[in-house]
Amino acid sequence: MPRRTLITAIAVAALATPLAVAAAGPASAAPVPPRTPVTDFNHDGYPDLAVTAPSGTVDGVEKAGYVSVVYGTASGPGPARHQIIDRSTPGVPGEPAGTYAFGYQSIPGDLDGDSYTDLLVAGGDDNGNKATVLWGSKDGLTGQNTLLPYQYSEFALGDFNGDGKRDLVVNAEPSDDPDVSGMTIQYGPFTRDGKTRTQDSFTTSDGPTGIRSFITGDLTGDGVDDIVTTHGFEEMQHEARFWKGSRSGVSHTSKALGTAYSGTVGDVDGDGYGDLITRDIGSVTEVIDSHPGSITIQYGGSTGPTDARKKVITQDTAGVPGASEENDAFGASLSAGDVNGDGRAEVAVGVPGESLDAATGTGAVVLLKGASKAAGGMTGKGAVAYNQSTAGVPGVSETGDDFGRRVSLTDLNKDGKADLTATAPGEDGTYTDSGALWNLYGSASGLTTTGAGTLSPVKLGAPEKDAKWGHTLAG
C-alpha cells in the first residue's frame, strides 16, 4: 500500500522557551508550585496539540489508528498547520494493522533535551505494542524508527531527579514472578535509540496487584516531580501509593493514599504545594463508566499528599452543576490549570456520560474553581458546566457524543491563563463517531465561550469514518 506522506508544517523562526525548573532549596525555603512543560513540537513558542484516533482507518485498514498533530498559533491551535502520523508514515516502525490501535496512549515530553517536545505513542504494531517515539524538530514531529523496549505498558513522564530532563516511568516488572509487580524509571536525557545512561527498577507490591496508571507532578514543593501509582487486579481497585522524587531519584519506599483510579496534580489552594486530585470509584472497577463518579483532593505538603484536609467532590456537592447519577462517569478525565490567573489552579472534570434532557451520554465538562487555603480550599462554589448546549459553544448536544471524554487545561495562546480543550470521540460528522474537540479560552473572569473553536477530522483532512477522534489527548 502507498505510504502516507507527512503534511509538512509551515516552519517558523524558533523562539527560545527554556524549560522552567526550580532549584531545590533548604527545607525552610518557600515551596515551588508544580509546573508542566509546554508541549511545543516545533519549538516556535506556541503550544501544540496531539489528538489520537486509535479506531481510525489507515490506507483502508480499519482500526489501525493515527495521530493528528495540530500546531499552535497566536490565536491557538488551528487547521492551517497540522500533520497526520500513523504506521504508514515514513520513519514510523511497523505497518498499519487492524488488530492494534496506534495512539491508544500518547504522552508529550522533551526526551532528548533539545528543547523540541517529543511524543510517545503506544499501540498499532504486531511487535508487542511497544511505544514509538516521535521526535520533535523545527518542521514538527518526525519518525526515526525508535521503539522503546517495553511491551503492553502504562507509562508517564516527569523530572524525578530534578535535573531538568524528562524521565520515563513504566510498569515494567522487575522480575519474572507473576506475583510481583513493579516499575522501571529511565532517567533522561534519551538518545535517539531510546536509551538512557541510568535506570532503576524496583518492586511496588507483592501479590497479584499490578500498576494501572501513573500520576506525576511535584507534590512536595521541592521542584522535583513525584509519582503516584494506582493499583488493581481484575475488577478490584487497590490503594494508590506515593513515591517521593528527589535529587538522587525516586525513593524505593512509599505511603498509601487510599483507592484511586487516575488523576492529576495542581496547586488548587495557592499555597505553593501541588495537590493530588484523583478519580475514585471505590474498590470495584468492572464497569467503570457506569459509576456516577467522584473526585478526591488530597492537599500536598513537604511530605507529600495527606488526608489532613481531604475533600471529596461529586455532582451532589453544593455548587456543582447537575446531579450524581449512574453512568455520568464524573472524573473520567481530569486536568488542572490556572484559568483566571489568580495563582490557584482550577480543575476540569470530564463527565462524558452526562445526559441532557432526553439525550443520553451527551457529556459535559465541569470546571471547579480554585480557592485559597484560608477559604477552605476547593469546594463546589463557583463551579461551571460546559457542553454543546452552552451558549457560544459550537455544535449541538446529541446522544452518545461523549463530550468531556478527555480534558486538558493548558495555555494555548500564551496569555498566561490556562485554556480548556475537551474532546468528544462520539461526535458525529459525515460518519457516526468521527469525533471532535473544542477549545475554550481562559480570562480574568474564568473560561469564556467567546472565540470558542472546534476541530475535527474533516477540518484536518484526516480519515473520518468511525475514527473516534479525541480518544486520547496530548497537549
Side-chain angles (χ1 to χ4, degrees):
M1 293 183 181
R3 298 179 66 85
R4 186 181 307 280
T5 302
L6 288 177
I7 302 175
T8 305
I10 300 173
V12 298
L15 303 176
T17 309
L19 175 65
V21 177
S28 59
V32 179
R35 303 178 184 182
T36 302
V38 172
T39 296
D40 188 358
F41 300 122
N42 58 358
H43 192 45
D44 67 351
Y46 295 109
D48 308 316
L49 294 174
V51 189
T52 72
S55 296
T57 299
V58 175
D59 291 340
V61 180
E62 296 182 355
K63 300 186 184 304
Y66 65 87
V67 179
S68 291
V69 184
V70 187
Y71 289 91
T73 68
S75 56
R81 302 164 60 209
H82 65 275
Q83 291 174 286
I84 301 170
I85 301 177
D86 55 55
R87 285 290 181 196
S88 71
T89 298
V92 176
E95 298 291 338
T99 54
Y100 302 94
F102 187 69
Y104 81 84
Q105 188 180 10
S106 62
I107 297 178
D110 180 9
L111 294 178
D112 56 357
D114 65 354
S115 298
Y116 294 95
T117 304
D118 311 305
L119 187 68
L120 281 172
V121 183
D125 73 83
D126 58 0
N127 192 22
N129 272 350
K130 294 179 180 178
T132 298
V133 182
L134 303 174
W135 299 98
S137 73
K138 66 180 180 62
D139 296 319
L141 289 178
T142 180
Q144 293 188 16
N145 289 296
T146 306
L147 279 173
L148 297 183
Y150 309 106
Q151 294 179 309
Y152 303 105
S153 299
E154 293 296 322
F155 52 87
L157 295 171
D159 182 9
F160 307 126
N161 60 3
D163 66 353
K165 309 298 182 184
R166 294 287 94 184
D167 309 314
L168 173 71
V169 56
V170 299
N171 62 336
E173 309 294 340
S175 77
D176 294 329
D177 187 341
D179 289 334
V180 174
S181 62
M183 60 185 177
T184 295
I185 301 170
Q186 281 188 259
Y187 290 100
F190 284 70
T191 57
R192 289 298 174 101
D193 59 1
K195 296 180 180 179
T196 58
R197 287 178 295 179
T198 59
Q199 71 176 43
D200 189 15
S201 298
F202 52 93
T203 298
T204 56
S205 60
D206 295 321
T209 172
I211 294 174
R212 282 200 163 139
S213 69
F214 295 103
I215 307 163
T216 63
D218 183 5
L219 291 157
T220 62
D222 63 357
V224 181
D225 288 337
D226 311 299
I227 299 172
V228 173
T229 52
T230 71
H231 299 260
F233 178 69
E234 294 181 346
E235 77 278 5
M236 301 304 295
Q237 190 72 15
H238 298 279
E239 285 190 315
R241 307 201 68 86
F242 166 76
W243 308 82
K244 188 181 186 309
S246 73
R247 296 290 169 176
S248 57
V250 175
S251 171
H252 282 219
T253 60
S254 65
K255 67 177 180 180
L257 297 175
T259 57
Y261 190 83
S262 56
T264 191
V265 173
D267 181 11
V268 302
D269 61 357
D271 67 352
Y273 292 104
D275 307 310
L276 179 66
I277 306 101
T278 56
R279 179 189 190 185
D280 184 14
I281 58 171
S283 60
V284 180
T285 60
E286 188 172 12
V287 281
I288 183 171
D289 276 356
S290 67
H291 196 277
S294 69
I295 67 169
T296 299
I297 301 171
Q298 291 169 285
Y299 288 90
S302 59
T303 60
T306 72
D307 286 344
R309 298 164 55 215
K310 181 177 178 179
K311 188 166 294 183
V312 176
I313 297 177
T314 72
Q315 283 189 281
D316 287 338
T317 300
V320 178
S324 188
E325 300 168 321
E326 292 297 317
N327 303 311
D328 279 349
F330 181 82
S333 183
L334 297 166
S335 184
D338 185 1
V339 168
N340 57 12
D342 66 355
R344 297 183 289 270
E346 277 67 52
V347 175
V349 184
V351 198
E354 182 85 334
S355 297
L356 299 175
D357 300 324
T360 60
T362 56
V365 176
V366 171
L367 187 73
L368 300 174
K369 185 175 174 57
S372 68
K373 189 173 183 179
M378 181 169 282
T379 65
K381 184 178 180 180
V384 181
Y386 299 89
N387 53 58
Q388 289 187 76
S389 297
T390 302
V393 176
V396 178
S397 294
E398 299 170 317
T399 295
D401 278 347
D402 213 26
F403 185 91
R405 174 54 61 183
R406 291 289 180 265
V407 295
S408 174
L409 287 176
T410 187
D411 184 5
L412 296 174
N413 57 4
K414 294 179 60 180
D415 67 353
K417 299 175 179 63
D419 310 306
L420 171 67
T421 301
T423 74
E427 176 78 359
D428 296 340
T430 306
Y431 299 93
T432 301
D433 294 341
S434 56
L437 69 74
W438 287 256
N439 290 320
L440 279 65
Y441 292 91
S443 71
S445 58
L447 281 181
T448 176
T449 60
T450 301
T454 182
L455 293 170
S456 63
V458 69
K459 289 186 177 182
L460 300 175
E464 187 181 8
K465 186 178 180 181
D466 301 324
K468 295 185 179 179
W469 194 78
H471 179 272
T472 62
L473 176 66

